[in-house]
């Protein structure tokens, strides 16, 4: 693809930091891990951060450390990445999907309340595409029904709601640092919390159930190897130093897209302003108007691809994926939104020229596909 969907933003500072770790002889469980965790906790406004090998590992440890398991139900969106549901399944608990708000694309608090049963243990709020979930309402529901409120903030580093940062609202929050995220450690993740005991348990679980004071071959419980190496942590430290510049750049790209696309009636723009908070732009996802079919959306994505512009289908709902397909699970908003979304190229180094090109190509492909079936066919041949 001439214009990729995403791409990491690596500077000489990250390269130097990683090289210095390689020369230091200390490759795991060293000072870089501690420094990265302290910087992340400080940025998010949580007391503790425990870095792990991926966002998925973070989700798994969070679920396990909170004692969520067999017989428990966890309410979550289906309009998200499958790892959210998988992490709950790893512990034999049951994901229960609630529908979303069509404007924020986040879990709808009314739908959450409607899915509560005597087995519900937790609400897992996902800050989808960097837009903070309606935490105030979710926290009230959690308190009323004595549920654990946890967050997947993997797409939302730096997002804010009512003066607090995403990840620091609930009992614990998870971040991911895969290369398409706002900051990357190549692979990596972290769990943040204000709970000291929970943090200690997370540290033990990521390191084979060891304790910080015990012997290397002393294990107090069954744990995992979910450690983040010193190389990855060093990369994360440098990336996190630039977070505000990165978020400002991403907001600027979103604005440029908005300016060029708002004239096109067949395209619905993403939510771009919050009454009391800040979006941390993860991806730029538009939605085609209601009259567009699933097939037409796919034709547009394909036609863009033929022009060398990579687009994504964010998200394919989790409840429609094979491991989660159950009879009678219907989430009309999730399904209708997911059929018409298109993620456009979105990364820090995206130039104004590339944005222009992506926007004019998108407008052409969309107009073509909305004219007639025949035109749709030729749109895919562009
Ligand atoms: C990226 C992401 C994760 C974590 O993914 P990893 O690849 O395991 O780091 C988890 N949840 C959501 C919603 C994500 O977008």
């Amino acid at each position: 693809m001439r214009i990729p969907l995403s791409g990491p933003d690596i500077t000489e500072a990250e390269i130097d930091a990683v090289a210095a770790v390689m020369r230091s002889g200390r490759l795991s469980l060293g000072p870089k891990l501690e420094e990265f965790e302290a910087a992340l906790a400080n940025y998010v406004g949580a007391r503790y951060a425990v870095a792990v090998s991926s966002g998925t590992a973070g989700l798994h440890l969070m679920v396990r450390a909170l004692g969520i398991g067999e017989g428990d139900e966890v309410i979550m969106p289906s309009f998200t990445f499958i790892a959210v549901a998988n992490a709950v399944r790893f512990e034999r608990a049951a994901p229960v999907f609630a529908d979303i708000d069509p404007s924020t694309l986040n879990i709808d608090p009314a739908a959450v309340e409607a899915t509560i049963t005597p087995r519900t243990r937790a609400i897992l709020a996902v800050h989808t595409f960097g837009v903070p979930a309606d935490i105030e309402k979710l926290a009230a529901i959690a308190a009323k029904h004595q549920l654990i409120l946890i967050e997947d903030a993997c797409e939302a580093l730096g997002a804010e709601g009512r003066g607090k940062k995403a990840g620091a609202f609930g009992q614990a929050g998870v971040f991911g640092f895969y290369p398409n995220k706002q900051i990357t450690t190549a692979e990596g993740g972290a769990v943040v919390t204000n709970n000291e005991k929970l943090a200690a348990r997370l540290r033990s679980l990521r390191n084979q159930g060891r304790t910080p004071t015990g012997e290397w071959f002393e294990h107090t419980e069954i744990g995992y190897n979910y450690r983040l190496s010193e190389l990855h942590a060093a990369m994360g430290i440098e990336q996190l130093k630039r977070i505000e510049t990165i978020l400002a750049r991403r907001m600027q790209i979103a604005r440029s897209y908005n300016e060029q696309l708002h004239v096109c009636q067949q395209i619905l723009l993403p939510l771009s302003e919050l009454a009391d908070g800040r979006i941390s732009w993860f991806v730029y996802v538009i939605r085609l108007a209601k009259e567009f079919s699933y097939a037409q959306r796919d034709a547009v994505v394909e036609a863009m691809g033929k022009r060398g512009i990579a687009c994504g289908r964010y998200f394919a709902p989790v409840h429609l994926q094979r491991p989660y397909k159950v009879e009678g699970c219907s989430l009309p908003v999730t399904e209708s939104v997911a059929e018409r979304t298109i993620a456009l190229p979105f990364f820090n180094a995206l130039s104004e020229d590339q944005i222009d090109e992506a926007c004019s190509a998108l407008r052409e492909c969309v107009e073509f596909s909305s004219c007639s079936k025949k035109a749709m066919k030729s749109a895919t041949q562009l």
Side-chain angles (χ1 to χ4, degrees), residues 195-209:
N195 181 330
E196 187 179 359
K197 272 198 180 142
L198 188 68
R201 180 103 194 275
L202 291 163
R203 286 204 162 92
S204 171
L205 283 171
R206 81 169 163 195
N207 189 21
Q208 310 282 16

Side-chain angles (χ1 to χ4, degrees), residues 53-57 59 80-81 83-84 126 152 154-155 175-178 180-181 187-189 282 315:
S53 51
S54 70
T56 306
L59 286 167
T80 190
F81 185 46
V84 185
V126 182
D152 179 329
C154 287
E155 302 178 3
F175 290 96
F177 307 120
Y178 187 73
N180 68 339
K181 310 284 183 188
E187 295 282 359
F282 167 54
F315 280 106

Side-chain angles (χ1 to χ4, degrees), residues 200 203-205 207-216 218-221:
R203 286 204 162 92
S204 171
L205 283 171
N207 189 21
Q208 310 282 16
R210 294 178 173 108
T211 56
T213 49
E215 295 283 317
W216 187 248
E218 193 184 327
H219 310 270
T220 56
E221 67 173 314

Side-chain angles (χ1 to χ4, degrees), residues 27-30 32-33 36-37 50-54 177 185-190 206 225-234 236:
L27 302 185
S28 187
L29 295 174
K32 291 296 167 192
L33 179 66
F36 181 48
E37 290 180 337
V50 179
V52 290
S53 51
S54 70
F177 307 120
T185 59
E187 295 282 359
R206 81 169 163 195
N225 176 0
Y226 284 166
R227 295 182 301 260
L228 188 75
S229 86
E230 288 288 282
L231 286 83
H232 297 87

